[in-house]
């Protein structure tokens, strides 16, 4: 049921039949042919729904002129299909070129006409070997795309050292066409700068997704391994198209049952679907699994029986999944078990698992998002305090996975002080793709600028230029192992991500994991062209909305460095008044510290001294209220309400101004989008329009509730022209959302 | 991403271009035209996915000859669109006729050519008034479809007293075309025999669906009322197409929060989407809501404050939803609160609510599925025992909703003894559409024959012919109010029902709710034609599979009247060994009562005497092991293992025989389906094939585990030729399914 298409399907298509009178004979012959064709047309089904399922791989027909050019360039496809990876590569090219160009290229064993597309490796395709291309430096996953003469004829070659490289190159080539690039003189070389580019699914075995706003888990555990939902294949295609090469199937708040034989069979079945797309499967391991499913009395990593159990379990996994990636572990954090329960260190725990997977080439990704059950003086400091002393103690197949900031995926955080502080350990970046603290799926917030800001931040660990990107890609300290993880925003919703625009966050994550130096704007441009329309009249305004959206959300939620003011538990909506409960650092008042005198968390040398966890040039800037970037002012400083900021306004006035500015930006986004009606398909246009209306309402709610609350401290009037909150503070405080999605179970 | 289409999209479509040499001039002109058309063709998107989303409303193009006939009959559409119901009626006709005939009829204000289709009421369309049709007797929802002469021209009329009747008639007309019926001399009159035809969604506010095997709840509460998923409209269309006119949105194990203003706004938004399709919204009311959300100390139905609270709450609902249907209540059952908590009767509780909704024209559907926390001697007897004494005490806007059988939606149950036993009370049938006890969504089990068996069962309440259908449709006792409810199998899965064939159970439920005398086979034929193919080479074998499928499931799960032997809690798979726990009647051993001497629950006059709850002619049959239908033998009798059954076999041998027979039937279903490859689209064929493989495995599991277990009692060898169980009994007993879907939360 294509609900948006309420029009007759082919209006007037047969109207010639209705005309009275006779038609001259030759035309009648033509009309007869036409009749057949029209009949054929009438039998063709209606337009494909634009429901978002196809993501950025829509492969819609290009305009005739462009399609003609490309068709001549890609008239023939020479691509082996001896292996599974080769087979899916060829399938994708046939699908993509066929969709965009109106017909797929003819397939051939060797190029024998102009306009051949050669895809493969020197080993898989002799023609590529004969070209003598420079493939060194492309590694296991890189590729080149080049316009060449092959046997005297113009051809295009996608060449790599491995099948996976050729697959990635093929997706890149398709992207060139999707985004309307010239392809007559191609000379591209690409290799990923980061080795492990991994999605983390916080998916429970009952299909609940923690912090998921896109329906259920796409993993239908109950019907696995017998039913392999075709969706798994499309998931793999989407990931391969942006270079993601690993996926952790289950929640870091892990259930040991995933390691039982029944579930490992299911995991193996999924691995079989993902393997041809270059994607390895990883599992979150519950540290206490030897007790829960192994019948042991302890999970002490120094206990020989525990070590044996993990080795045997790992061997069992690799017998089923020879290319199993390894384990992700959340230990001694938020109630999860871990080595500290047995008096051991994070390094002890990680190394035990690393030893088990090492013979098989696996890795351990050990999360640094830890905080003990005791209340710390400043949670900001804890990961650094716990992990830095162990730098150098981890086995060489361990990565420590560090969130982008020290608190928890807030709308904006300064980069985590661990980056640059553990030179002997590969530090894996953990970004959140799902918008736990950013309005769930209904707020349009493009995360590219946020990722970019973090990756380009300079740790100064080895002097200026020691960016977080250089730490993460391993180049700063010369680590061979490197990784970026993204907490997935993927679910069973038809559009995968809960909203059309949240697909862009999956997309930009993959592109930046491949190349941490890539630009958020350029990636947004690609995404809009592929996802909505190559029409510049669409691309430029939509990219403009996207690029402004992150700052807008920061402004209407947590301006000037405020953080962690969301509703308790579910993190939906404003709740700066949250206090009490089991832990101070699970309240809002802990983080904003508003008083009659001022607002903000003093993390300076005179306060919690978190600043000193950064390299000195960074610490000096963060420590100085005059030099700290204003976006982080209240992150590091407790400031008087009447103090001046760079705009010349008082802090209070600036706070109100920024809240309103955020709401105003959503107004502009709405106006921009409304102006695109008719240029974007009705189905997606309507949903985005409705979601923007929700975002606008909720932005106003954030502004109003926050201002109403903070005014009880500042005691100051609103600046001139600023509307008072629509409701009383008591109204906002009374709102409850007992069934908000994505909460922990 | 259309995952099944791995072929080039239009293979060879442009191959003419590649041919060498010149073509003579006239043909060149034609070829030029052809070229344009082929180019147009190339721009058309690929075939619509057959992913099941469209249900039985696919409206695919008919074959040319048939389409031509119909096109002449329906060349012009004269249908008003002044009201919302009229508007959606016309939209559906345009969509359906346009899809099937290749073009929609022209729309006109009045018929001015041959081949007009007139749709409406005498009030909405003067041409219909002029025809002077006999519309009496059609009531508020009936319609007639007739071939007529209108103003001297051949026309077809769909006429009714109400817009809703015209909507139903329009869907009926579309069905005639979908199933290839002749339409040249139509003279059909239809009116529903049952007034309330209602789906019960056991959907929780967190989108969990109790006993749901099709993903999450389709109600996206978090984003309501601002986001109205287009799926709601398609849900309404599907229901209207089969005459369903009501839906209970939330679980009978109710959460009082649904009655808070925040949720009522969301309910009202849904009601607004469903209203144009003739569907009223109902809510499950938690009896203790006055305490939970009303701040009262009691929910005693005799307490004036409680009565006031419900009246005010009801008025609040009707202010938002003027056509609100009323309340469904599960009270004093499985831990739910109810009037007995306050020393009041079911009638007291129901009447309090009935009084509140009566001024607004609402009803109360009060469930008879009750059993107290004390263990009864035979749960079979409890509903009768509790409700019959109150017959005559219920207000006239109360229906008592009775499950089809006395236990709980078992694969096969004798009809519930309440039917026929409460002549003064409208008894509403409650069928389960979702297959809680029938293999979840992966087993192909068509429930039409089961519904038919129950509806045609003769209660003998007023002599022979007092069928359950006559009780339910109100005709036996002359009740104006009547209803049938079905526990929905609808969820967020793309195909709505978790499997393609489970859509048929939604379909047959609606058709039988409209007409309890309709035949399961004829309905299956319609459904297969509309859903898969009108090709008889598909229809006959598929209908054959469907019609045999229920008996097959009974055979491989619970033959000869066995019941309630499924896994504890989740009800997945065989677990006849379940014993212990909080209640005897939540165990398997309570129901099968196997001993060394025999097996079965003695409900005869010498046993629990449940048989005496039936009218004497029925009771006499059920009480006699020689006369009781063998399908209910062990339901009513405890029989020795070596006793003879009608086949001449011993009971033990017959039991084993039936288990194996059920497995064998699934073998045949698989063979039949495999033979349809190429006649059914690949996408659905593949999924059904995989699901049948799961069903086959699980049927074998049921047989083997059951035989292994019961053999420990019978001590008898397997009959010759019967394979022993594949695994040990201990193996089967050790299986655990901690995350099986649909369990209670």
């Amino acid at each position: 049921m294509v609900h948006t298409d309420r029009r007759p399907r082919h209006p007037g298509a047969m109207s010639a039949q209705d005309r009275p009178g006779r038609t001259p004979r030759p035309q009648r012959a033509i009309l007869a042919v036409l009749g057949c064709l029209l009949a054929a047309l009438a039998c063709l089904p209606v337009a494909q729904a634009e429901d978002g399922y196809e993501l950025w791989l829509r492969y819609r027909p290009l305009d005739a002129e462009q399609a003609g050019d490309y068709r001549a360039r890609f008239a023939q496809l020479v691509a082996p299909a001896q292996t599974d990876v080769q087979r899916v590569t060829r399938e994708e090219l046939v699908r993509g070129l066929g969709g965009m160009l109106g017909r797929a290229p003819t397939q051939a064993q060797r190029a024998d006409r102009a306009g051949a597309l050669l895809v493969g490796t020197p080993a898989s395709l002799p023609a590529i070997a004969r070209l003598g291309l420079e493939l060194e430096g492309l590694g296991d996953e890189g590729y080149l795309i080049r316009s060449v003469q092959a046997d005297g004829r113009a051809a295009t070659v996608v060449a790599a050292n491995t099948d996976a490289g050729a697959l990635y190159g093929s997706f890149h080539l398709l992207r060139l066409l999707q985004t309307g690039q010239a392809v007559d003189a191609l000379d591209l070389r690409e290799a990923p700068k980061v080795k492990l580019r991994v999605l983390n699914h916080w998916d429970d075995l009952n299909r609940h997704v923690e912090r998921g706003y896109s329906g259920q888990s796409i993993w239908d555990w109950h019907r696995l391994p017998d039913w392999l939902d075709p969706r798994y294949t499309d998931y793999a295609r989407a990931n391969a198209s942006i270079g993601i090469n690993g996926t952790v199937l289950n929640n870091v708040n892990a259930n040991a049952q995933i390691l039982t034989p029944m579930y490992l069979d299911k995991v193996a079945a999924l691995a079989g679907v993902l393997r041809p797309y270059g994607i390895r499967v990883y599992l979150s391991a519950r540290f206490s699994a030897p007790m829960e499913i192994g019948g042991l009395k302890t999970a002490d990593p120094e206990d020989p029986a525990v070590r044996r159990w993990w080795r045997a379990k790992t061997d069992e996994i690799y017998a089923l999944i020879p290319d199993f990636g390894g384990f992700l572990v959340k230990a001694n954090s938020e109630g999860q078990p871990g080595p500290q329960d047995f008096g051991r260190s994070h390094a002890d725990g990680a190394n035990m698992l690393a030893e088990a997977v090492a013979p098989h080439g696996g890795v351990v990704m050990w999360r640094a998002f830890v905080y003990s059950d005791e209340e710390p003086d400043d949670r900001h400091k804890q990961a650094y305090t716990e992990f830095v002393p162990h730098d150098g103690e981890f086995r060489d197949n361990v990565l420590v996975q560090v969130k982008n900031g020290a608190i928890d995926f807030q709308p904006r955080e300064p980069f985590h002080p661990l980056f640059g502080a553990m030179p002997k350990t590969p530090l894996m970046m953990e970004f959140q793709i799902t918008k736990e603290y950013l309005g769930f799926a209904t707020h349009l917030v493009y995360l590219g600028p946020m990722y970019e800001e973090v990756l380009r931040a300079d740790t100064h660990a080895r002097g200026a230029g020691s960016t977080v990107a250089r730490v993460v890609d391993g180049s700063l300290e010369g680590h061979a192992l490197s990784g970026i993880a993204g907490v997935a925003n993927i679910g069973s919703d038809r559009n995968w991500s809960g909203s059309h625009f949240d697909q862009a966050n999956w997309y930009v994550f993959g592109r930046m994991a491949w190349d941490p130096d890539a630009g958020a704007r350029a990636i947004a441009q690609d995404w809009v062209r592929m996802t909505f329309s190559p029409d510049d009249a669409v691309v430029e305004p939509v990219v403009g909305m996207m690029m402004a959206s992150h700052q807008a959300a920061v402004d209407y939620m947590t301006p000037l460095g405020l953080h962690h003011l969301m509703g308790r538990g579910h993190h939906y909506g404003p709740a700066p008044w949250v206090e009490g409960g089991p832990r101070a650092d699970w309240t809002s008042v802990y983080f904003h510290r508003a008083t009659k005198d001022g607002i903000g968390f003093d993390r300076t040398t005179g306060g919690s001294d978190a600043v000193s966890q950064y390299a000195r040039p960074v610490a000096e800037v963060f420590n100085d209220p005059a030099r700290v970037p204003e976006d982080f002012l209240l992150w590091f400083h407790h400031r008087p309400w009447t103090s001046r900021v760079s705009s010349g306004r008082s802090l209070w006035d600036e706070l109100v101004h920024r809240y309103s500015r955020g709401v105003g930006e959503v107004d502009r986004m709405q106006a921009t989008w409304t102006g695109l009606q008719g240029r974007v398909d009705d189905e997606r246009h309507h949903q985005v329009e409705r979601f923007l209306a929700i975002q606008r309402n909720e932005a106003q709610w954030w502004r109003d509730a926050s201002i109403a609350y903070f005014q009880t401290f500042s005691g100051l009037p609103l600046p001139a022209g600023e509307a008072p909150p629509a409701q009383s503070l008591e109204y906002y405080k009374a709102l409850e959302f007992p069934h908000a999605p994505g909460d922990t179970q």
Side-chain angles (χ1 to χ4, degrees), chain A:
Chain A
M1 293 182 229
V2 183
H3 49 85
T4 55
D5 186 358
R6 296 232 166 87
R7 289 157 297 175
R9 292 186 178 200
H10 302 291
M14 300 294 284
S15 62
Q17 282 197 350
D18 302 333
R19 285 191 203 124
R22 299 285 295 170
T23 309
R25 206 146 180 273
Q27 285 93 321
R28 269 164 63 202
I30 295 175
L31 283 177
V33 174
L34 274 172
C36 294
L37 282 163
L38 285 167
L41 265 173
C43 290
L44 282 167
V46 296
Q48 228 166 327
E50 288 283 12
D51 56 18
Y53 182 75
E54 297 171 296
L55 296 163
W56 47 87
L57 301 176
R58 291 160 57 253
Y59 302 139
R60 289 294 185 281
L62 302 174
D63 75 58
E65 189 186 346
Q66 201 157 42
D69 290 351
Y70 289 148
R71 229 180 265 131
R73 286 272 157 200
F74 307 112
Q76 188 177 50
L77 176 61
V78 183
Q82 301 297 311
T83 68
D84 284 344
V85 180
Q86 292 169 8
R87 178 180 53 74
V88 303
T89 301
R90 192 163 82 179
E91 280 171 7
E92 194 70 28
L93 287 165
V94 167
R95 178 202 304 255
L97 295 172
M100 288 188 280
L101 310 185
R103 59 165 178 172
T106 57
Q107 295 186 43
Q109 294 298 314
R110 55 188 193 82
D112 55 12
R113 50 176 294 195
L117 171 60
L118 307 167
V119 179
T121 67
S124 73
L125 202 60
I128 286 183
R130 283 199 300 277
L131 286 168
L133 301 161
E134 277 280 344
L135 300 179
E136 289 98 83
L138 294 177
D140 283 349
E141 298 185 304
Y143 54 84
L144 62 75
I145 305 177
R146 193 175 292 173
S147 304
V148 297
Q149 293 287 314
D151 302 328
R153 300 184 190 89
T156 307
V157 63
V158 177
N161 293 313
T162 64
D163 287 348
L167 174 66
Y168 291 137
S170 297
F171 273 114
H172 191 146
L173 180 75
L174 289 167
R175 190 208 310 160
L176 295 176
L177 274 64
Q178 290 173 282
T179 57
Q181 307 301 305
V183 295
D184 50 337
L186 292 170
D187 190 8
L188 297 167
R189 288 177 71 86
E190 282 267 351
K193 293 180 183 158
V194 175
K195 192 168 176 191
L196 308 180
R197 307 174 299 279
V198 178
L199 289 179
N200 289 1
H201 286 266
W202 288 358
D203 292 17
D204 296 324
L205 301 185
N206 65 357
R207 301 190 72 176
H208 174 73
V209 181
E210 189 169 324
R211 311 311 174 186
Y213 313 104
S214 320
Q216 290 182 295
S217 171
I218 58 171
W219 316 128
D220 185 356
W221 292 113
H222 181 68
R223 292 193 275 212
L224 280 165
D226 297 297
W227 169 238
L228 297 173
D229 192 322
R231 192 160 189 151
Y232 305 147
T233 304
D234 290 327
Y235 165 87
R237 291 176 51 230
N239 281 324
S241 78
I242 49 177
I244 289 171
N245 66 359
T247 184
V248 186
L249 299 176
N250 61 318
N251 194 347
V252 289
N253 291 322
N255 186 323
Q257 284 160 341
I258 193 78
L259 299 175
T260 59
M262 180 171 88
Y263 277 94
L264 290 178
D265 275 348
K266 299 167 189 275
V267 171
L270 282 174
V273 176
L274 305 183
R275 186 173 294 117
Y277 293 91
I279 299 167
R280 285 182 181 213
V281 157
Y282 300 74
L283 293 176
S284 292
R286 186 164 164 92
F287 200 78
S288 51
M291 301 165 71
E292 289 153 354
I293 62 167
L296 301 187
K297 293 261 187 297
T298 178
D300 181 351
E302 300 299 323
D303 185 284
V306 172
R307 300 177 82 85
R308 269 199 307 278
W309 188 87
W310 279 111
R311 278 200 304 274
K313 181 53 70 180
T314 304
D315 292 347
E316 179 190 350
I317 296 172
Y318 277 95
L320 290 166
I321 311 164
D323 58 350
F324 179 68
F327 295 118
L328 170 64
V329 185
K330 173 176 179 176
N332 294 120
S333 172
E334 300 184 314
Q336 290 295 309
Q340 293 174 345
D341 301 349
F342 309 95
R344 314 297 179 184
S345 73
H346 284 293
D348 295 333
N351 288 343
M352 171 190 64
L353 293 172
E355 199 177 285
V357 297
H360 306 284
V363 302
V364 170
M365 304 174 290
W366 192 268
R367 288 175 95 235
F369 180 67
V370 294
Y371 49 98
S372 63
D373 292 337
E374 298 104 61
E375 285 172 30
D377 64 331
D378 180 359
R379 195 172 114 192
H380 192 293
K381 291 159 61 181
Q382 189 164 356
Y384 181 101
T385 306
E386 283 200 29
F387 274 83
V388 167
H390 296 291
D391 189 30
E393 296 176 8
F394 292 96
R395 281 191 60 122
D396 62 4
N397 59 334
V398 175
L399 301 102
V400 171
Q401 182 168 312
V402 182
K403 290 188 182 182
N404 58 280
I407 299 301
D408 189 14
F409 298 134
Q410 292 306 296
R412 170 175 265 136
E413 298 198 29
F415 72 88
H416 200 299
L418 273 176
F419 290 113
M422 292 184 67
K424 297 179 189 153
T425 310
L427 296 190
M428 194 163 177
M429 171 65 76
E430 179 174 320
F431 281 130
Q432 201 174 40
I433 306 171
T434 189
K435 304 208 311 302
E436 174 181 356
Y437 293 98
L438 276 157
F440 298 1
T442 31
H443 290 215
L444 194 169
V445 183
Y446 173 54
L447 297 178
M450 193 269 272
Y451 298 159
E452 186 178 283
E453 177 177 302
V454 173
L455 290 165
R456 295 189 182 180
D458 196 339
T459 70
H460 287 267
R462 288 186 172 262
S466 303
T467 61
V468 172
R470 293 284 77 73
V471 174
V472 169
D473 71 16
S475 60
L476 191 69
E477 304 293 345
H479 291 299
L481 202 51
S482 59
I484 298 193
V487 180
N489 65 345
I490 296 162
S492 63
D493 275 4
R494 184 63 183 166
N495 65 18
W496 299 87
S497 301
S499 78
H500 296 297
F501 273 93
D502 270 318
Q503 298 178 353
N505 293 327
W506 179 6
Y507 184 81
V508 69
F509 166 77
R511 292 285 301 273
M512 285 197 179
W514 179 278
D515 179 5
D517 300 311
R521 178 177 292 275
I523 294 171
Q525 285 167 338
D526 280 354
W527 179 81
V528 175
R529 287 201 169 89
M530 297 160 84
T531 303
F532 281 114
S533 169
D535 179 356
D536 283 338
V538 172
V539 177
E540 287 316 308
V542 174
V543 169
M545 288 169 65
M546 292 169 71
M547 292 302 292
S549 63
H550 176 249
Q551 183 65 48
V554 170
D555 282 345
Y556 65 68
M557 289 182 172
T558 50
L560 289 167
L562 291 174
H563 51 286
H564 218 298
L565 309 182
M566 293 73 183
R568 197 200 293 264
H570 50 63
H571 300 157
Y572 174 64
W577 46 78
V578 165
E579 58 188 341
R583 296 178 61 116
D585 58 346
W586 283 356
T587 69
S588 300
V589 298
Y590 173 90
F591 289 104
H592 65 66
R593 308 212 164 184
T595 64
K596 289 205 184 313
D597 302 324
I599 182 171
F601 197 131
D602 183 357
R603 293 189 167 109
T604 66
T605 47
S608 81
D609 198 27
V611 291
S612 296
Q613 293 184 334
Y614 291 96
R616 189 183 293 175
V618 178
E620 285 174 357
V621 170
F622 286 168
N623 197 51
D624 182 349
R627 293 171 67 201
V628 68
E630 225 154 50
D631 283 327
F632 298 130
L633 179 63
L634 304 180
W635 187 283
F636 288 112
H637 299 272
H638 187 82
R639 299 290 295 162
W641 292 107
T642 52
S643 58
R644 293 288 138 187
V645 297
S646 64
S647 63
R649 296 186 190 92
S650 72
L651 175 62
W652 167 247
D653 285 3
E654 180 70 15
L655 195 67
V656 176
H657 167 73
R658 293 210 179 192
Y659 276 119
S660 299
R661 186 174 77 180
V663 179
E665 187 59 44
V666 183
D667 282 336
R668 272 186 294 281
M669 288 158 67
Q670 284 188 288
T672 301
W673 189 254
T674 300
L676 293 170
Q677 190 146 29
R679 292 187 186 270
V680 169
D681 57 282
D682 290 347
E683 188 170 359
R684 289 186 294 174
H685 192 276
H686 172 67
Q687 185 179 101
V688 172
E689 190 169 54
R690 295 305 308 150
F691 280 19
L692 283 169
I694 293 172
Q695 184 176 10
R696 174 62 179 73
N697 286 341
E698 295 189 355
Q700 187 75 48
W701 168 33
W702 264 101
R703 172 200 179 272
D704 288 357
S706 302
I707 289 176
Y709 173 74
F710 287 126
Q711 199 172 26
T712 65
F713 297 97
S714 79
L716 295 170
L718 295 185
E722 288 285 357
Q727 305 281 347
S728 70
L729 178 58
E730 295 319 305
Y731 169 87
Y732 298 115
K733 288 171 82 162
L735 294 174
E736 286 186 49
F737 304 94
H739 306 288
D743 208 349
T744 47
Q745 283 198 319

